[in-house]
């Protein structure tokens, strides 16, 4: 076993006394602000900006508290604390989001200071999980383990966490700002749908550097990020990002919330003019003050040193015997397990998408179990993915069968990572005051329709993403099949898009036709799948490739023939 003693952490950034003092002071500040709100000294409008900067939303039925999980990495100890809080202050579960965070949906205002105090005990907080600031920096959930990794994105994401937290110049930007970093050959972080997307690479000398994509984002006006600079050296990494944020802070619109994101600024200024402004600002910043010292980088890198892997053969006889004896396990192994850079180890995705379940939800008992399994099998750490699953990144191949049996017994053994059952869905109208339609019941209905794991394998790679409103928290624009909830005179309808792609070849999906009802939407997804299976050239041709080859017409004809 990769057993690690309780409280010990591998691959986790260790807070120092400065971090802890800062978080503790913020908790006490917020405690006093909550007391003023409860006493009536602060109105809701006066309290709103304060609570948002501490991750507290007022939704349809209750307060929602969003907990930061920086770059999606946490320890087993931290996950157990999240489970404990969910039992004590919520309804026994938490919801993992596309920002690699966790949300509690049924929080009482008077309990939030106590919750934040308990989070601080395990080096967690809710700072800047809302508001017009730099939000949680996300990265590849396979970071530090993936066979195709070039640069460890955690190092630079942690540097950005420290640099952006309460940055005095960027606390009140024109609009929220999201950054993603990928350091692998494959993009598992959807970098080009972010305000800033960074591809970490190495040059011919082995030096780390970054390609900067700017102006991506979904929502009311979806845009794919544009390449602003092909290469920024590691020492200039912070300075170049600061230059981008300064240009955005100066020119970004504050008169219209719908035109306030940096994607609109890039679009209206034009890429050439925007790049010129950034380069001029970068030239002013470039120098000793903003140079990222290699010693700082190395100091952060030490927190993410590889765990003590054993020297193992890459081939596992125990694994082969288990595959041969249990077809369900063999299926999970093919779908949910990825190659690891260390021989004898594997990366296991824990699906939070059981058939008919709510995407991203985990009960507190399930969180406790995953924490136990992380300590037993993955050096005491785990990751949250932007597709609302969890990852145990360092599992011995010999132990995969035991891991899966424990997961499966707890409803966490679904073999659907990347398949049609691996649905992204925002909370929608069940919780969110901004939503036009429910997303959760539709996700559950589609998941139940395609529950058969063998059928899912037959269909192959096909991502469905559902948003309850145009804000696109469910990333529907980049789903191979995207679904957007809309309101038509008080009735919920769903608009279907096809052809979205969240990888390096990012594409925004196209609307297939008129919006349909919830029942019709489930049937429409089945019809789309049927047309795909009838037209693909073989099991190796993905849905997205078939769509590009045959076009939209066969799908539209099948769905809207009755009209």
């Amino acid at each position: 076993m990769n057993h690690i003693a309780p409280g010990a952490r591998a691959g986790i950034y260790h807070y120092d006394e400065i971090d802890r003092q800062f978080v503790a002071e913020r908790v006490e500040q917020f405690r006093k602000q909550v007391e003023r709100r409860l006493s009536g000294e602060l109105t809701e409008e006066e309290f709103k900006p304060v609570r948002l900067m501490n991750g507290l939303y007022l939704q349809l039925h209750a307060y929602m508290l969003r907990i930061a999980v920086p770059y999606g990495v946490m320890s087993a100890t931290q996950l157990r604390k999240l489970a404990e809080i969910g039992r004590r202050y919520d309804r026994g579960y938490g919801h993992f989001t596309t920002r690699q965070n966790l949300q509690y949906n049924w929080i009482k205002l008077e309990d939030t200071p106590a919750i934040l105090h308990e989070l601080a005990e395990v080096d967690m907080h809710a700072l800047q999980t809302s508001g017009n600031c730099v939000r949680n920096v996300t990265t590849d959930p396979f970071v530090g383990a993936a066979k195709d990794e070039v640069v460890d994105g955690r190092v630079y994401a942690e540097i950005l966490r420290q640099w952006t937290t309460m940055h005095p110049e960027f606390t009140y930007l024109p609009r929220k700002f999201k950054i993603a970093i990928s350091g692998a050959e494959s993009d598992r972080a959807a970098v080009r749908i972010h305000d800033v997307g960074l591809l970490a690479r190495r040059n011919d000398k082995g030096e780390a550097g970054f390609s900067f994509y700017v102006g991506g984002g979904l929502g009311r006006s979806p845009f794919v990020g544009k390449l602003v600079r092909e290469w920024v050296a590691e020492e200039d990494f912070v300075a170049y990002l600061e230059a981008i944020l300064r240009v955005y802070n100066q020119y970004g619109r504050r008169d219209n919330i719908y035109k306030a994101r940096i994607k609109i600024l890039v679009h209206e200024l034009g890429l050439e003019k925007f790049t010129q402004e950034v380069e001029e600002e970068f030239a002013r910043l470039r120098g000793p003050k903003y140079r990222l010292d290699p010693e700082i980088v190395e100091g952060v890198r030490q927190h993410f040193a590889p765990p003590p892997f054993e020297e193992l053969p890459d081939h596992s006889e125990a694994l082969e015997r288990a595959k041969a004896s249990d077809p369900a396990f063999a299926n999970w192994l093919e779908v949910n397990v990825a190659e690891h850079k260390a021989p004898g180890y594997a990366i296991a995705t824990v699906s939070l998408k059981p058939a008919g379940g709510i995407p991203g939800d985990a009960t507190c008992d399930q969180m406790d179990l995953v924490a136990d399994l992380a300590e037993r099998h993955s050096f005491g750490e785990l990751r949250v993915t932007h597709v609302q699953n969890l990852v145990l990144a360092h599992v011995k191949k010999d132990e995969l069968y035991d891991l899966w049996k424990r997961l499966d017994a707890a409803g966490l053994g679904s073999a659907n990572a990347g398949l049609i059952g691996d649905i992204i869905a925002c909370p929608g109208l069940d919780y969110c005051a901004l939503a036009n339609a429910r997303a959760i019941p539709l996700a559950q209905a589609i998941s139940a329709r395609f529950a058969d794991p063998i059928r899912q394998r037959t269909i192959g790679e096909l991502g469905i993403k559902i948003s309850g409103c145009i804000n696109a928290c469910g990333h529907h624009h980049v789903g191979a099949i995207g679904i957007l909830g809309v309101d038509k005179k008080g009735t919920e309808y769903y608009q279907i898009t096809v052809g979205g792609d969240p990888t390096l070849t990012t594409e925004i999906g196209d609307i297939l036709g008129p919006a349909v009802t919830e029942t019709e939407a489930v049937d429409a997804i089945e019809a789309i799948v049927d047309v795909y299976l009838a037209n693909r050239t073989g099991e190796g041709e993905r849905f997205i490739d078939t769509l590009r080859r045959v076009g939209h017409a066969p799908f539209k004809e099948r769905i809207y023939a009755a009209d």
Side-chain angles (χ1 to χ4, degrees):
M1 294 185 301
N2 301 330
H3 185 73
I4 190 164
R9 293 174 293 177
I12 305 288
Y13 176 76
H14 297 248
Y15 273 25
D16 58 21
E17 288 310 307
I18 295 174
D19 290 309
R20 293 195 178 102
Q21 181 180 348
F22 170 74
V23 172
E25 288 173 354
R26 284 301 302 258
V27 170
E28 288 308 306
Q29 288 173 7
F30 191 59
R31 186 189 303 278
K32 294 173 183 176
Q33 291 160 340
V34 169
E35 290 172 356
R36 293 176 67 201
R37 174 70 188 110
L38 291 171
S39 70
E41 185 179 345
L42 290 178
T43 66
E44 170 54 30
E45 280 305 302
E46 291 169 331
F47 182 59
K48 182 177 179 180
V50 171
R51 64 171 170 79
L52 286 177
M53 288 300 287
N54 288 275
L56 188 64
Y57 287 74
L58 182 56
Q59 297 205 301
L60 278 177
H61 311 294
Y63 283 96
M64 178 270 280
L65 183 63
R66 182 179 293 150
I67 312 303
V69 183
Y71 37 94
V73 177
M74 76 171 100
S75 68
T77 301
Q78 290 172 327
L79 184 58
R80 280 202 193 89
K81 175 58 72 173
L82 294 177
E84 183 183 330
I85 290 171
R87 285 194 190 92
R88 185 177 300 172
Y89 300 105
D90 202 278
R91 296 186 174 182
Y93 71 96
H95 176 73
F96 290 95
T97 78
T98 56
R99 199 90 219 122
Q100 297 181 310
N101 290 324
L102 178 128
Q103 293 179 181
Y104 297 114
N105 288 314
W106 299 96
I107 296 298
K108 295 178 181 177
L109 176 59
E110 56 267 32
D111 290 335
T112 53
I115 295 171
L116 294 176
H117 177 76
E118 290 196 33
L119 287 169
E121 292 176 347
V122 293
D123 296 346
M124 299 188 81
H125 58 76
L127 295 172
Q128 295 186 196
T129 56
S130 183
N132 294 335
C133 55
V134 179
R135 301 284 184 91
N136 191 32
V137 178
T138 57
T139 192
D140 182 352
F142 293 177
V143 65
K147 202 163 187 177
D148 67 341
E149 184 169 85
V150 179
V151 177
D152 189 334
R154 291 172 300 183
V155 176
Y156 303 98
E158 173 57 32
I159 289 169
L160 291 187
R161 183 195 70 81
Q162 296 185 29
W163 172 63
T164 60
T165 300
M166 302 310 297
H167 191 303
E169 195 172 343
F170 306 136
T171 301
Y172 296 99
L173 294 165
R175 198 73 173 87
K176 58 186 176 182
F177 201 91
K178 299 177 179 180
I179 301 170
I181 302 174
S182 174
E185 294 174 7
S186 302
D187 178 15
R188 289 176 288 266
V191 296
R192 295 188 68 194
I193 60 169
H194 285 75
D195 297 287
V196 169
L198 301 170
L199 290 181
R201 295 289 183 260
R202 293 194 183 277
N203 61 17
D204 295 340
K205 299 178 182 178
E207 299 165 330
F210 304 86
S211 297
F212 272 72
Y213 289 87
V214 182
L218 305 179
R220 187 174 299 271
S221 304
F223 285 94
V224 175
K226 297 176 175 61
L227 183 64
V228 171
R229 211 173 207 255
E230 184 71 43
W231 179 261
V232 175
E234 178 184 88
E235 67 175 17
D236 294 323
F237 161 65
V238 171
Y240 201 78
L241 191 50
E242 177 114 1
I244 290 170
L245 278 160
R246 283 190 173 187
V247 170
Y248 173 49
N249 211 12
Q250 180 178 356
Y251 293 105
R253 294 184 61 173
R254 286 178 163 86
D255 62 322
N256 186 330
I257 191 172
Y258 303 116
K259 296 184 178 182
R261 297 291 294 269
I262 194 172
K263 62 186 179 181
I264 303 299
L265 176 63
V266 174
H267 177 69
E268 292 186 344
L269 276 183
L271 181 61
E272 184 177 349
K273 173 63 174 173
F274 177 82
T275 303
Q276 178 187 336
E277 293 284 342
V278 170
E279 290 291 334
E280 290 175 358
E281 185 63 33
F282 176 53
R284 286 190 285 270
L285 292 173
R286 200 172 192 179
K289 183 179 179 181
Y290 285 91
R291 178 176 175 269
L292 184 57
D293 193 315
E295 291 184 6
I296 292 176
V297 179
E298 186 56 33
V300 173
R301 184 176 288 115
Q302 291 304 312
H303 290 276
F304 304 108
F309 295 124
E310 296 178 28
E311 291 189 16
L312 300 172
D314 203 36
H315 181 79
S316 167
E317 289 293 340
L319 179 61
E320 294 304 316
R321 287 193 298 271
K323 281 173 60 179
S325 67
D326 193 330
F329 168 66
N331 188 48
W332 179 81
L333 192 68
E334 289 294 320
V335 175
N336 283 47
V337 176
E339 284 189 294
H340 197 287
K341 64 170 66 175
Y345 289 83
I347 304 167
T349 294
V350 180
S351 173
L352 299 181
K353 321 285 179 62
I358 299 174
D361 275 13
T363 68
C364 294
D365 288 346
Q366 287 175 328
M367 285 191 257
D368 276 338
L369 172 67
V370 174
D372 291 345
L373 294 174
E375 285 183 340
R376 185 177 182 86
H377 297 290
S378 194
F379 300 100
E381 61 108 342
L382 62 143
R383 291 86 185 281
V384 184
T385 79
H386 84 275
V387 294
Q388 299 176 290
N389 291 319
L390 302 177
V391 166
L392 298 177
H394 311 296
V395 183
K396 287 182 182 177
K397 289 183 178 180
D398 286 353
E399 298 176 1
L400 282 168
Y401 191 37
D402 289 339
L403 170 68
W404 174 75
K405 285 189 291 186
R406 295 281 305 278
L407 290 171
D408 196 47
L412 297 169
S414 297
N416 57 14
L419 304 182
I420 196 168
D422 192 10
I423 299 169
I424 289 179
C426 72
L429 198 54
D430 285 304
Y431 296 100
C432 183
L434 300 176
N436 297 315
R438 295 168 299 163
I440 290 173
L442 180 56
Q444 291 176 290
I446 295 171
S447 173
R449 179 75 66 92
F450 293 94
D452 181 0
I454 303 305
R455 187 183 184 198
Q456 291 197 46
R457 281 287 300 280
T458 300
I459 294 167
E461 181 184 328
L462 201 166
I464 294 179
K465 308 183 193 302
I466 307 173
S467 300
C469 77
I470 198 64
N471 289 307
C473 294
H475 294 185
H476 69 277
H477 290 295
V478 290
I481 299 175
I483 304 174
L484 168 64
V486 294
D487 175 36
K488 288 190 173 185
K489 298 180 179 179
T491 302
E492 297 169 64
Y493 276 79
Y494 297 89
Q495 187 179 80
I496 298 173
T497 60
V498 292
D501 178 5
T503 68
L504 283 178
T505 53
T506 308
E507 289 189 32
I508 305 299
D510 298 312
I511 297 172
L512 201 55
V516 297
T517 65
E518 181 181 325
T519 301
E520 291 169 336
V522 179
D523 292 336
I525 300 305
E526 180 129 41
I528 290 171
V529 170
D530 288 343
V531 172
Y532 158 56
L533 295 177
N535 283 274
R536 71 181 180 183
T537 56
E539 289 193 11
E541 186 174 60
R542 303 174 304 162
F543 170 81
I544 192 77
D545 298 321
T546 300
L547 177 69
R548 288 166 181 165
R549 181 170 53 79
V550 304
H552 293 44
F555 299 93
K556 294 176 72 170
E557 183 179 348
R558 178 68 174 271
I559 294 172
Y560 300 106
D563 294 333

